[in-house]
Amino acid sequence: MKSKRQNPLKKFLAIRGMGAALTAFVGLIIIYVAFGLINQAVFSGQNILNLLRSMSKYLLIGIAQSYILITGNIDLSIGSMAGMSAMISATMMTMGVHPVLACLMALISCLAVGVVNGYLVGKFKLPPFIATLGTMFVSRGVAYMVNGNRNTDAIATGIGKEAADSFQNFFYYGKTLGVYNTFWISIIVFIIFFFLLSKTRTGRHIYAIGSNIDAAKLSGVNVVATTTKAYLVSAVCSCLVGLILCAQAGMGNMEAGNMYEMYGVAAGVIGGVSPLGGTGILLGTLAGAAVWQTLENGLNMISAQVGIQRIVIGVIVVGAVLLDVVVRNGQFGKKKSK
C-alpha cells in the first residue's frame, strides 16, 4: 500500500505563521504598486536601493523583537542598546581605537545587557516589561555617560579619514554587487537566525516557551537558558543597528535608536509574529519590515505629513494584533450553537 504524500504546497502553507507572512508579502506588493502609480519615482532604481538600505535597520530590529515576542516576552531595551552601541563605538574611534576593537566593545556591552535581561525574566521571573524597562534606562544612561553627556565628534577625527571611510562604507555607504552593504548584512543575519529559529532545538524551545511555559518545563526545556539566548539574539541585532546608525551619521548620537524597540514590534506583528507568544516566523518579520519601510518611503514620496505617516502605521499595527487575537480566540469560522 502506497503511503500518501502530502501536497508540497499544503505542507508549505501549513508551516506555523506562513499564512500571515504570505499575507504581509501580498500587502507589500499592493502598497508598493499603489504608491508607484501615484508617483513614478517610487519605481526608480535608486529609490529601490535606498528603500532596501533603510529597510535593513527595521529588519534587524524586527528580528531582535520577534525572537522575544515568540517567547511571550518583550524587550524595551532594544533602542537604548542600539544607542549605547553607537555611542561606545563612536567614542572609542574618536579616541583613536581601531574600528574592529570599538565594534567588539560595543557588542560585549550589548551582550551584557542581553544576559541581564535573560536572567531577570527567565530566572527571577520579573515581568519582561519591568525588567527591560529598567535595562532600557540603564543602557540609555550609558550612552549619555560614555562621552560626558554629549554627542561625539566625527569618528574621522580619531581614526583618520581613510579608516572612517572604510567603517562607514562597510556598514552603510558601500555597495556589493550594486546593493548597499547594509542590506547584505541584514540578510546574512536574517539567514543565520532564521535557521536557528526554524531548524534547531533552541528554536523549538523558544516556540515551546511562548506556547506554554509550564508544559515546556515539564518537557525538560531549560527556560532560563532559552530565554537568555533569545535576549542575546536581541542584543546582537541591536548592536548591529547601533553600528549602522554610527556609520550613517559618521559620529555618535546619544539619542540614536530612540523608539526602535517599537519599530521592532511593528515589523514583527505586521508579519504575523504574535505578541502573545508561540507563533510567527522570521519570513513574516522580513515582510513586516518591508511593509513598514515601503509605507514610510511611499508616504514621503507623496509628501504626506509625518503625523499622517504615524497614524497610518499605528492603525496597521493595531489591526495586525487585533487580527491575531481574533484568530486565536477562534472567532473566524466558528459556528453559532443552536
Side-chain angles (χ1 to χ4, degrees):
M1 186 176 178
K2 294 182 179 180
S3 59
K4 293 183 178 179
R5 286 188 176 182
Q6 188 176 2
N7 186 302
L9 180 59
K10 288 184 177 180
K11 187 176 180 180
F12 177 74
L13 294 175
I15 296 174
R16 179 169 40 189
M18 183 59 70
L22 293 178
T23 300
F25 275 115
V26 171
L28 168 64
I29 295 170
I30 293 172
I31 292 169
Y32 181 71
V33 171
F35 282 126
L37 293 176
I38 297 172
N39 186 342
Q40 292 291 319
V42 170
F43 294 139
S44 70
Q46 187 57 50
N47 184 64
I48 293 173
L49 289 176
N50 290 335
L51 193 153
L52 291 174
R53 179 170 61 178
S54 298
M55 180 202 79
S56 300
K57 291 179 290 187
Y58 294 140
L59 174 57
L60 288 170
I61 222 71
I63 293 170
Q65 197 67 271
S66 294
Y67 259 75
I68 307 303
L69 291 175
I70 291 172
T71 65
N73 298 307
I74 193 169
D75 189 352
L76 298 181
S77 66
I78 285 174
S80 294
M81 277 194 286
M84 182 176 69
S85 169
M87 282 300 295
I88 289 175
S89 57
T91 300
M92 294 186 71
M93 282 187 278
T94 58
M95 295 169 61
V97 177
H98 193 279
V100 173
L101 181 57
C103 293
L104 182 60
M105 289 305 298
L107 177 60
I108 291 172
S109 300
C110 290
L111 290 176
V113 176
V115 171
V116 171
N117 283 337
Y119 271 80
L120 288 177
V121 175
K123 185 174 180 62
F124 297 105
K125 306 297 187 295
L126 261 68
F129 185 91
I130 300 300
T132 60
L133 180 66
T135 53
M136 177 187 79
F137 282 115
V138 170
S139 299
R140 186 63 67 180
V142 172
Y144 270 79
M145 292 176 61
V146 71
N147 195 48
N149 290 299
R150 63 185 181 86
N151 296 332
T152 72
D153 296 327
I155 59 175
T157 60
I159 58 175
K161 187 178 185 304
E162 184 177 349
D165 287 345
S166 296
F167 171 78
Q168 291 183 268
N169 286 335
F170 181 83
F171 281 105
Y172 195 76
Y173 292 103
K175 291 180 180 179
T176 300
L177 301 177
V179 180
Y180 288 110
N181 291 337
T182 314
F183 174 75
W184 295 119
I185 290 170
S186 67
I187 289 299
I188 291 171
V189 172
F190 169 80
I191 291 171
I192 292 171
F193 288 133
F194 178 85
F195 176 82
L196 178 64
L197 189 61
S198 60
K199 300 296 182 181
T200 67
R201 184 172 62 177
T202 296
R204 291 193 293 272
H205 288 178
I206 287 173
Y207 280 108
I209 290 174
S211 299
N212 189 322
I213 191 169
D214 293 325
K217 288 179 181 177
L218 292 174
S219 300
V221 175
N222 188 327
V223 173
V224 178
T226 303
T227 302
T228 301
K229 288 176 184 177
Y231 276 105
L232 286 174
V233 169
S234 179
V236 170
C237 293
S238 300
C239 177
L240 284 171
V241 171
L243 296 176
I244 290 170
L245 292 173
C246 176
Q248 180 181 0
M251 58 177 286
N253 187 321
M254 294 183 295
E255 293 298 327
N258 190 31
M259 289 295 293
Y260 269 49
E261 58 276 356
M262 295 299 104
Y263 299 163
V265 172
V269 299
I270 290 173
V273 177
S274 174
L276 303 178
T279 302
I281 56 175
L282 291 190
L283 195 62
T285 302
L286 173 62
V291 167
W292 174 279
Q293 183 54 42
T294 301
L295 278 170
E296 276 200 347
N297 178 264
L299 290 168
N300 280 327
M301 296 289 281
I302 64 173
S303 302
Q305 296 179 0
V306 175
I308 297 297
Q309 296 179 32
R310 295 293 177 258
I311 290 172
V312 170
I313 294 172
V315 169
I316 290 176
V317 171
V318 172
V321 176
L322 180 61
L323 179 61
D324 174 63
V325 172
V326 170
V327 170
R328 279 184 177 243
N329 289 337
Q331 297 300 314
F332 290 149
K334 182 184 284 187
K335 295 181 179 180
K336 294 182 178 180
S337 58
K338 294 182 180 179

